[in-house]
Every structure is written in C-alpha cells, then in structure tokens.
C-alpha cells in the first residue's frame, strides 16, 4: 500500500495547530513543528492515542521537529529540516505569537519577535517546502493561519495585525507564482478562538469580544482545523483568505 501523504503543521503542539493536525490525522502522516519539546511530546502522544482507537497504529504516523521560528536564520534552518524529513503534500503555517501592546510603548524586541515569528517564519518555511513541492511535481497545498486582525485591525495589536496582513498578501502573491505548478496557497483568518493564546484575555474584554461576534461565542480550534482540511480538499480554490470568525468582521 502507498504511504500516506505528509502534512506538516508548524505550531502543531497546541491550540489551532494541534486541532489542524487532528483533522489531517486520518488521511496523512503528520509532522508537528514547535519550539517546546514537552509540548510536542504531549501533542504527539495524544494524536497517537486517538489513532490507536480508530486505525492501525503505525510508528511513523506522527513525527516532531523542535524548532524555534523566532529568527530568520532559525526559520530557514527549520524549512531545510522539514524538507529533509520527506515529501510534504500539505503545509499549514500556524506557529504564531500575540504579545499585545500599544505601538507607542512597544520595544524593538517585541516588534521584531512578532514579525519574525508570524510573518518571516511563514515565508521562510514556505519557501523551503514550496521549492521541494515544485521539484516533486505532484502539486501541493499550503495554508497560512492569518487573523481577522490582519483584515480589520484591533487596538493594541498593530504589530500583530501587520504581521497577519502580511501573511494574507504573501498568500495571494504566492498563489499566483505557484498556481501553474498545481500548488494551491490559501489563508485562514480566524476570529477569537479558545486556545492558550486567548486564555489570558480579562473576562470583561472577553465579554466585549463575544458581544461583537454575531454567533455569540469564541470559536473552537476544531472549527479552524475543519477549515484547513476543507481548503486542502477544495481543488479549485487558491489565493483566498477564508474568514472563520463567527461573523465578527461581517
Ligand atoms: N487563538 C486565536 O484567537 C487566534 C485568532 C486568530 C489567529 N490566530 C493565529 O492562529 C495561530 C495559532 O494560534 P493559537 O491560538 O493556536 O496559539 P497557541 O495556543 O498559543 O499556540 C501557538 C503555537 O505556536 C507555536 N509557536 C509559538 N512561537 C513559536 C516559535 N518561536 N517557534 C516555533 N513555534 C512557535 C507554539 O509552540 P510551543 O508549544 O513550542 O510554544 C504553539 O504550537 C497563530 O498564528 C495565531 O496568531 C489565533
């Protein structure tokens, strides 16, 4: 039997990335990329455990790559390591940070860290994987996790929003570069989703965000995972940003 195709998920150790990995697990071999070995081990164990219940266990169904994507050099190195692990059919760039601060009190480290992790790493990892997809000549699918903040902005998130708007522009231009090779590139712009990233939002603020969301709740990581799986199967969609925000930006 032919081996299952490979889906690489950066930020796959927790939150949205882990839910994306769970959505692809029945049909793909998974590579999780994150910076914290303990988080990767927990994520890998939980995926493998669910696999045991539904499918024949296989030792290489979930692999992990420890990589800190917060610098351009490290992200380039991670991209090379991903390519060395084998042919990638699906790449989901979900690794990201949201250290909120009004711009006038932001320091250089904060600005550089957010831009490098959210935007530069997405570009560098995609660059390495896209090259290998072109060489492989079997097409491919790239999904970049942006944010509704990159579309409509959010106070205290100017740098984060810039990084996420950059991800959308990157996605649209790259889809034009790679379409003729059968490689589709799309983005997802989630609204507020219940993960570690949003767990420290004060309750008053959270209530405001819920009130501003027509569906009246935060999204679940699984709802973003479903959207990523949908984009991987939507063979005539490329260059799009799919907004999954409960109506927040309507
Ligand atoms: N949650 C939301 O409401 C929301 C809304 C819109 C967009 N998003 C976007 O969705 C993506 C996932 O967010 P989330 O809510 O799932 O966040 P999360 O629960 O905080 O998880 C973040 C993930 O990114 C990884 N990561 C962070 N910095 C990294 C670095 N320097 N190098 C490698 N990996 C790194 C983390 O790995 P470790 O476990 O090693 O730390 C973890 O796997 C992000 O791009 C975020 O901007 C989230």
């Amino acid at each position: 039997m032919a081996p299952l195709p490979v889906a690489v998920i950066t930020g796959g150790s927790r939150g949205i990335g882990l839910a994306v990995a769970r959505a692809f697990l029945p049909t793909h071999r998974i590579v999780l990329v994150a910076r914290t070995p303990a988080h990767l081990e927990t994520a890998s164990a939980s995926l493998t455990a669910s696999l045991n219940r539904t499918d024949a266990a296989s030792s290489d169904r979930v692999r992990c790559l420890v990589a800190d994507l917060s610098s351009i050099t490290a992200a380039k190195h991670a991209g090379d390591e991903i390519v060395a692990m084998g042919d990638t059919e699906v790449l989901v760039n979900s690794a990201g940070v949201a250290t909120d601060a009004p711009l006038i009190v932001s320091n250089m480290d904060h600005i550089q860290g957010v831009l490098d992790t959210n935007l530069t790493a997405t570009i560098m990892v995609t660059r390495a994987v896209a090259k290998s997809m072109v060489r492989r000549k079997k097409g491919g699918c790239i999904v970049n996790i942006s944010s509704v903040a990159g579309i409509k902005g959010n106070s205290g998130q100017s740098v984060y929003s810039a990084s996420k708007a950059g991800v959308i522009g990157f996605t649209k231009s790259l889809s034009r570069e790679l379409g003729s090779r059968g490689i589709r590139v799309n983005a997802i712009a989630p609204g507020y989703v219940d993960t570690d990233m949003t767990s420290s939002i004060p309750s008053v603020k959270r209530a405001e965000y819920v009130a501003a969301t027509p569906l009246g709740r935060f999204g679940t990581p699984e709802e973003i995972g479903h959207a990523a799986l949908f984009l991987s199967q939507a063979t005539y969609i490329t260059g799009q940003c799919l907004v999954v925000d409960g109506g927040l930006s309507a």
Side-chain angles (χ1 to χ4, degrees):
M1 208 168 73
L4 292 175
V6 173
V8 175
I9 299 111
T10 76
S13 62
R14 293 185 284 124
I16 288 171
L18 179 55
V20 170
R22 207 177 289 289
F24 279 92
L25 185 63
T27 51
H28 288 73
R29 286 179 289 153
I30 304 293
V31 176
L32 305 174
V33 184
R35 63 193 156 171
T36 313
H39 295 168
L40 282 168
E41 277 160 32
T42 306
S44 170
S46 109
L47 290 174
T48 307
S50 63
L51 188 66
N52 287 342
R53 283 198 297 275
T54 59
D55 203 343
S58 167
S59 55
D60 73 342
R61 282 293 289 278
V62 183
R63 289 178 293 164
C64 297
L65 175 64
V66 179
D68 187 337
L69 300 172
S70 61
S71 80
I72 186 166
T73 315
K76 181 188 179 302
H77 184 66
D80 293 341
E81 285 194 89
I82 290 166
V83 170
M85 289 173 90
D87 289 340
T88 301
E89 183 195 75
V90 176
L91 168 66
V92 180
N93 287 299
S94 186
V97 285
T99 43
D100 299 359
L103 185 63
I104 57 173
V105 298
S106 294
N107 63 36
M108 288 291 289
D109 287 346
H110 162 249
I111 294 169
Q112 196 72 59
V114 171
L115 292 176
D116 280 354
T117 307
N118 295 0
L119 179 59
T120 312
T122 295
I123 293 170
M124 295 309 293
V125 170
T126 300
R127 178 174 176 262
V129 172
K131 277 190 196 179
S132 78
M133 285 175 169
V134 168
R135 276 197 303 270
R136 178 175 169 259
K137 292 192 171 117
K138 289 185 187 164
C141 170
I142 298 165
V143 178
N144 298 318
I145 306 299
S146 176
S147 167
V148 83
I151 296 172
K152 71 181 205 69
N154 197 16
S155 178
Q157 292 197 313
S158 57
V159 178
Y160 177 78
S161 300
S163 72
K164 293 300 184 178
V167 165
I168 295 172
F170 171 66
T171 300
K172 288 179 177 289
S173 295
L174 191 64
S175 72
R176 293 175 178 271
E177 293 178 20
L178 296 177
S180 65
R181 316 289 190 128
I183 301 167
R184 296 180 302 103
V185 191
N186 291 292
I188 296 174
Y192 295 104
V193 179
D194 268 319
T195 66
D196 293 344
M197 188 176 273
T198 51
S199 62
S200 58
I201 293 175
S203 55
V204 174
K205 222 36 189 166
R206 185 183 166 101
E208 268 176 38
Y209 294 152
V210 167
T213 303
L215 289 184
R217 62 174 177 83
F218 277 25
T220 65
E222 289 69 30
E223 287 169 321
I224 311 303
H226 289 154
L229 186 63
F230 162 74
L231 285 174
S232 79
Q233 295 164 344
T235 49
Y236 201 51
I237 297 182
T238 194
Q240 299 304 308
C241 179
L242 179 60
V243 178
V244 186
D245 69 349
L248 181 66
S249 61

